[in-house]
Structure formats: structure tokens, C-alpha cells
Amino acid sequence: VSIADRPVGSVHEVETRHGDTITTSETMHIALNRMGSSVEMTTTTIWTETLDGRLRELEFLLDMSERETRLRAVVAGDRIHVAQDAGGQSFASVVELEPATAGPSAGPSGAPLLGPLGARRLSGRELEGVGDAVTYRVFHPMLAAVAETTRRALHVDADGTRVVEERTSGIPIATTLRLDPASRIVGSEMPGPFGTIRTVLADRAAARLADSGGELPEESYGASLLHTRRRLPTPRQADWMQLELRHRNPALGWPDLASDSQKVLERSDDRLLVAVSRRYPSTTAALPVEASAATRPYLSASAYLRSDSDEARRLAAEILGDERDVFAAGLALERWVAENMTFDMGIVMAPSDEVLENRRGTCTEYAVLLTTLARAAGIPARFVMGYVYVNGIFGGHAWTEILVGEEWIGLDAAVVTEGPADAARLAFQWTALEEGAGRLNVGPATQMYGQVDVEVLGYRLEGRPAIAFDAGEETVRVTDDLFVDTGLGIAWSRPEGFEFADYALTWPERTLVALEGADGGRAEIQVSPIFYWRPPDEQAWERLESLVPEGRRGATILDGRPAFVVSDTGRLAAAVADQEELWILTVEGHDPEGLLERVAAGLDLPWGEPRR
């Protein structure tokens, strides 16, 4: 398996006959190495079919963290019995099927479910020439549902290899397959967030070598981020934003982006104009919320969201105490998750039992835990995927929405703000997660991640007039003597002997702009978020002492405001708390106190309205 032409893993398929059944086992392992972490995902799918290709049973194992999740589907007449387990209790459901017709070659309506053997034989019979097509039914493990798959022959190579387009209902993207003369898959290609994902037939040694994973080109990761051309001031206070989205691959289509907090203003195949609003509840609601047909999916436990576990219920009750207002309770749970989770890039997607135990992960685990605790408290909650703005980019993100009355209100424990989730984000998938995590990998995320570009056309902070940006407008200007960011409201004139550097950085970097001196001295401005419920001075000292370990505490004035200082030989860091952020000026050189005085003299920070 390769992504962006870099080997990142392998697929191994084994076919075995057991009496009157055929078992096909397929294991895929992917490992991506980045930012000091190895992100690994392994899936194993085991199909059991009759000799004529009818599916009898499917088992799907998904390993994206420390605990493996399992799905088992057993076909029994006109029903599929499905059981899902994420390391604890098993959750059962039943999928009703239309009665099966005479044979595997019948059309999809009422046709039996096929496994890999059945699909291979059907393709061998029906895809003889260019343009031939065949449609059949499968039980798709990622969707945890019955789906229709259509294969269409695109062309035939001289050696008899057929190039086939495969589309499956419920999955927006198409996969291009290479089928050998026996209709076995010997190669595939599909778009992905970091570049084209390809598989090619290889010997065991080459496949095992690829299993160690790979480091993708930096541009591959950059392509999955939406660069905004400009940094936005105090984004966690944004209550309205207007975005223009451009699709790089319009054939993938757009997911439905309409929700309580998002409105699609204009739409075409390659362009969307979307307005995002920060939504406050207009009514109050009391705990616990009564289960109904509408709320039950968002109150129920599932394999990934074990809100019925003793620990989840105990913890939710402990956090909330006597609180019975739904929105206030949601904010209390959000704050607890934000304070008690640790960010860990090495976890892809973990179930709530694991997150409760380890309390670490990426934004997905923050959202899993908050959604679980909300349900454990009797609050309808759903898992949201999309993008969030931070440090000059919109990056892939997950958060939670809770139901207050009849309104869905956003909460975000990973990028937390006072009150509901801010408007500096874009959602594209809302789910109860009752089918498991597989849909997150094959649904709207495949249409969006790595496939679109964004521009912010309008932006409003609470209590301030809206700001409109011209299309293509750059807000950063740099001359020989002056750096100006009109979006953030920053100006910095350089002292003699210094040059501007590092002013085009984005997440994960916090640096806005740096000055480098001919004598080796360096100064830079950083922005660091703070929790609204903790004293700013405590957080300022913590951040400064992480930058200058074992330094001495002190004080100074930075752009007319009292600033906290931590200094040591050759290094100094000063910080001012402004609303939701710390503005930090660091200096390095043989005389840091003197260097601070020189570079701070020309610094103008955004204490008032953002400059335009």
C-alpha cells in the first residue's frame, strides 16, 4: 500500500475452503509516521461464503488504538444479525433483507449478499468488454449496513487485465480496480486526504518492508489543511463566519452541510458559500431528557460510546452534582474533559472505555468522551466531524453537539471556549455513532479532507461589527522595516541589524513572526490559548516556564501593559494575557534584557479593535 507514492503498509489476503464454505481473510495494515508519533490502523475482514458465493457470515476487526473493535454479521434467511463490541459489552441489532432471488447473477433488488468469491465470479461472467457493468449486494463492514456495489469495465490491457471502476452506495468516492484474467484484484487506486492511495501486487518481502510505515511528504499533510491566507483574531470568540469552499475534485460531490448552525448560501459543483453561526440555546431544558423516537439514538449506549457503563455514569454524576440545566451541565462536562485529557497524536480513534481509562488522544477522543459523558448524564449528544480554525489553517477536527430543547448546540472540549462552540469551524458529518467508527472513514470525510480549499470572506467577533475580506486579499505585509498583519492588528518595526523571518507559519507552529539579528540574536511573537476558567496569571507562568525552564520570574511592560517575565542566561520570555490568549515575546541572545528592550520598542499588539 502506498500513499502519495510512499510505501505505508500492506494488504494480505488468504482464501481457504472448509467443506461447503470458502473463507476469505483480508488484513490491511497502515502506519504513518509524523511529528514524533506513529499512527497505525489495522483492519481484518473475514468473509464466509457458500461455494456459489453467497455470504453466510462476516467478521470485521478494526484496530485504531489500544483496544480492538469487532463487528460480526450473520446472515439468517431474510435477516442479518449484527453484533458490535469495543472491548466490553456486545451491542446487537438486526438488519432486514428483501427475500433472496434465484441466484447470484440476479439484479440487486432482492439478490443475495455476495462475498469476495461471489463478486469475483460475477465479475468474471459479466465484465467481458469495455462498458460492461454489474451490480450486486454486499454487507459493507465500514458502513455496518447492506450496500449495492457496481463494477464497470473501463478498458482491457493486452495481458487480459481489466481496469474496473467500483462504486458502492453510501460511499462517495469511487475505487479503480485492476482485475487479472481470473478476476482477482491485483491493484487498486482511490483518492485520499494525503494523496492517492494505491495497492499493487507484491511479494511477501516487499509487503512486510512496507508494513514498517512511511513518512509522507510535507506537502501531503499540507494538502489536507485548509490555509486561510490570513490569521484571524481571537477565533474562539467568533460568532459568525462566511466561507467560500472550492472543490479540487468536483466529481466527489459535496456532503450535506446544512444544520442548526450552518446555512448554505450558494452551491455549484465546484463551489459552496456557507455561513456558520455560533448558536446559543433559546430555551432551557432540564435533566434527564426523556427518551423519544427522535432522541433515543442520541441517548443510547453503543460499542464506541459506552454511556451505560458504571464508570461513565459515576463520573458524570460526580462532575454535575446537583446541576439539572441541560446546557449548564454540558458546559461543566466540556470543562472537565478539557482539563483532564492529554493530547496524543498516536491514537486514531478509541472507544470511550479506553478513553475513560487512559484520558488521552486527539480531538476524536475528546469528542468521544464528552459525547459519552453527556449521554451518561441524560443529555442527547452526537459526534460531529469537520474542520476548526487554528493558527492560520482549518484542520480536520471532531467535537460534540448536545440537544437543548429542540436545538443542537456545539461544545468542543479540545478547542474550548466560554459558552457554545465558536463559529470558526465547519461541520460536515453528524452521527450518533451507533454503527461504529467505520462510517467516519468512508463517508463525507472522503469528499472533504484533502479535497477542498477555503477562503474566509466574512468574520465577526462577539460585540463587534462584522469584517468583510476581499477574495484573495492578503492581510500580512512585510517591508524591509515593518511587519503588519491587518487581520490580527499587529505591527512590528525592526531594530537596526535585524531581519524579519518565519512570518508565514501555520499550525502546529504558534509563531506569528520572528526577528533574526546579524549577531545571532532572535525574537519572536507567539500566541498561546488559555482556559477561560483558570486565572490567566497561573497559565502565563506555566507557559513561560515551559519556554524558559528553571528561569527567574519577573515583570516588565509590553506595549503599555504589565507583562509576566521568566528569564535565564541567554533567554527570556514575556507574556500578556489578552481575552482568550497569551501574547508571548521570546528573545534569545547574549543580553536578553537589552534585546527585549530593543525589539519591544517597535511592537504594537492588538489591545483594541483589530487593525484594517
Side-chain angles (χ1 to χ4, degrees):
V1 182
S2 66
I3 298 177
D5 296 323
R6 302 287 179 92
V8 295
S10 71
V11 182
H12 185 209
E13 183 179 295
V14 178
E15 185 179 288
T16 310
R17 179 168 177 171
H18 303 278
D20 63 349
T21 63
I22 297 286
T23 297
T24 304
S25 174
E26 180 187 276
T27 298
M28 173 182 282
H29 176 257
I30 301 291
L32 299 177
N33 305 316
R34 192 193 182 207
M35 295 174 62
S37 297
S38 179
V39 179
E40 298 190 41
M41 182 176 77
T42 302
T43 62
T44 299
T45 310
I46 304 169
W47 295 268
T48 301
E49 302 169 73
T50 60
L51 296 182
D52 65 351
R54 294 171 184 252
L55 182 68
R56 279 191 177 179
E57 184 177 318
L58 179 146
E59 187 172 9
F60 179 62
L61 291 72
L62 179 61
D63 184 357
M64 298 190 291
S65 62
E66 293 181 359
R67 297 188 184 178
E68 188 176 68
T69 65
R70 291 173 177 263
L71 178 149
R72 185 168 181 260
V74 178
V75 181
D78 297 334
R79 293 184 173 186
I80 304 175
H81 296 271
V82 181
Q84 296 193 62
D85 181 359
Q89 178 182 346
S90 181
F91 290 82
S93 60
V94 175
V95 177
E96 300 286 347
L97 289 172
E98 296 179 29
T101 50
S105 63
S109 179
L113 300 178
L114 301 187
L117 174 65
R120 187 167 75 238
R121 289 177 174 172
L122 186 59
S123 297
R125 290 195 304 268
E126 303 294 334
L127 302 181
E128 294 183 350
V130 174
D132 290 346
V134 64
T135 299
Y136 54 93
R137 293 199 302 174
V138 299
F139 184 87
H140 199 289
M142 284 289 198
L143 299 173
V146 174
E148 290 186 2
T149 292
T150 298
R151 288 181 173 179
R152 184 179 305 277
L154 301 180
H155 63 84
V156 181
D157 293 342
D159 62 357
T161 300
R162 283 163 294 173
V163 179
V164 173
E165 178 191 73
E166 181 178 273
R167 290 187 176 272
T168 298
S169 59
I171 299 179
I173 62 174
T175 301
T176 301
L177 304 177
R178 296 184 63 82
L179 306 182
D180 69 9
S183 294
R184 295 181 183 273
I185 299 173
V186 293
S188 68
E189 183 174 306
M190 62 185 293
F194 304 129
T196 301
I197 304 170
R198 291 187 177 91
T199 64
V200 295
L201 192 64
D203 60 34
R204 185 183 300 269
R208 284 183 170 175
L209 183 63
D211 262 344
S212 61
E215 184 83 25
L216 299 185
E218 193 60 36
E219 57 268 24
S220 294
Y221 293 110
S224 69
L225 306 175
L226 307 185
H227 293 262
T228 60
R229 296 179 179 268
R230 58 189 69 91
R231 291 202 182 223
L232 304 173
T234 53
R236 308 286 70 90
Q237 293 184 18
D239 67 2
W240 173 82
M241 179 177 289
Q242 185 168 296
L243 302 173
E244 181 184 60
L245 302 173
R246 295 278 184 177
H247 216 303
R248 302 172 192 166
N249 188 357
L252 295 179
W254 297 103
D256 183 6
L257 300 183
S259 74
D260 287 354
S261 58
Q262 289 182 179
K263 183 177 181 181
V264 177
L265 306 176
E266 297 178 17
R267 181 187 184 108
S268 65
D269 289 346
D270 64 348
R271 178 180 177 272
L272 280 183
L273 192 63
V274 182
V276 185
S277 299
R278 186 180 192 184
R279 191 176 183 91
Y280 287 83
S282 60
T283 60
T284 59
L287 286 174
V289 175
E290 183 179 353
S292 65
T295 62
R296 189 168 288 109
Y298 307 104
L299 286 167
S300 300
S302 65
Y304 257 90
L305 305 176
R306 285 291 315 282
S307 54
D308 62 343
S309 73
D310 292 341
E311 176 60 14
R313 288 174 172 172
R314 181 203 65 77
L315 184 56
E318 177 184 305
I319 295 168
L320 296 183
D322 296 330
E323 182 61 68
R324 288 296 175 266
D325 179 81
V326 168
F327 182 53
L331 291 176
L333 295 172
E334 174 193 62
R335 171 175 167 175
W336 187 93
V337 173
E339 287 185 309
N340 288 276
M341 283 286 288
T342 299
F343 198 81
D344 185 342
M345 283 284 291
I347 298 175
V348 181
M349 179 80 177
S352 64
D353 283 353
E354 180 182 332
V355 183
L356 272 170
E357 181 179 331
N358 297 335
R359 296 183 186 178
R360 59 188 176 88
T362 61
C363 59
T364 56
E365 283 66 51
Y366 282 70
V368 161
L369 183 53
L370 179 54
T371 306
T372 299
L373 291 176
R375 292 188 188 182
I379 303 172
R382 63 188 184 184
F383 184 93
V384 185
M385 284 190 70
Y387 292 96
V388 71
Y389 172 86
V390 60
N391 294 358
I393 58 97
F394 280 88
H397 194 54
W399 63 98
T400 299
E401 287 185 350
I402 62 171
L403 191 64
V404 183
E406 297 183 355
E407 300 169 300
W408 287 103
I409 306 298
L411 299 176
D412 190 343
V415 183
V416 68
T417 185
E418 188 170 7
D422 56 77
R425 63 189 62 233
L426 178 75
F428 55 66
Q429 187 170 8
W430 300 261
T431 174
L433 273 184
E434 70 267 40
E435 309 98 340
R439 285 179 181 261
L440 302 179
N441 298 308
V442 296
T446 61
Q447 296 169 283
M448 299 294 286
Y449 288 153
Q451 306 297 336
V452 299
D453 297 302
V454 69
E455 182 154 13
V456 180
L457 298 182
Y459 183 72
R460 185 178 66 221
L461 301 177
E462 290 181 325
R464 298 185 184 181
I467 297 174
F469 297 104
D470 295 331
E473 177 185 354
E474 301 285 353
T475 59
V476 173
R477 300 195 302 271
V478 182
T479 65
D480 289 342
D481 298 320
L482 184 66
F483 168 90
V484 176
D485 188 324
T486 58
L488 294 180
I490 301 172
W492 202 6
S493 57
R494 66 175 183 86
E496 186 176 351
F498 283 81
E499 301 292 337
F500 290 110
D502 296 337
Y503 50 81
L505 302 180
T506 57
W507 184 90
E509 300 295 336
R510 290 191 173 124
T511 300
L512 295 177
V513 59
L515 281 170
E516 293 183 347
D519 59 355
R522 179 179 171 90
E524 65 179 62
I525 296 292
Q526 294 185 6
V527 179
S528 182
I530 58 177
F531 291 139
Y532 67 86
W533 58 82
R534 290 187 56 201
D537 57 341
E538 289 183 6
Q539 298 180 78
W541 290 126
E542 288 176 5
R543 178 64 179 145
L544 294 179
E545 288 170 349
S546 72
L547 294 170
V548 189
E550 300 181 3
R552 303 177 304 275
R553 291 188 178 187
T556 189
I557 299 296
L558 192 60
D559 192 22
R561 284 197 178 187
F564 308 97
V565 174
V566 174
S567 61
D568 200 353
T569 303
R571 186 168 175 82
L572 179 150
V576 175
D578 179 42
Q579 299 173 4
E580 66 189 43
E581 299 164 322
L582 291 175
W583 289 84
I584 301 172
L585 175 60
T586 63
V587 296
E588 295 181 66
H590 68 276
D591 177 17
E593 287 80 7
L595 181 56
L596 175 68
E597 184 176 351
R598 289 181 63 196
V599 299
L603 181 61
D604 187 5
L605 292 173
W607 307 136
E609 296 291 320
R611 294 166 179 250
R612 288 293 293 146

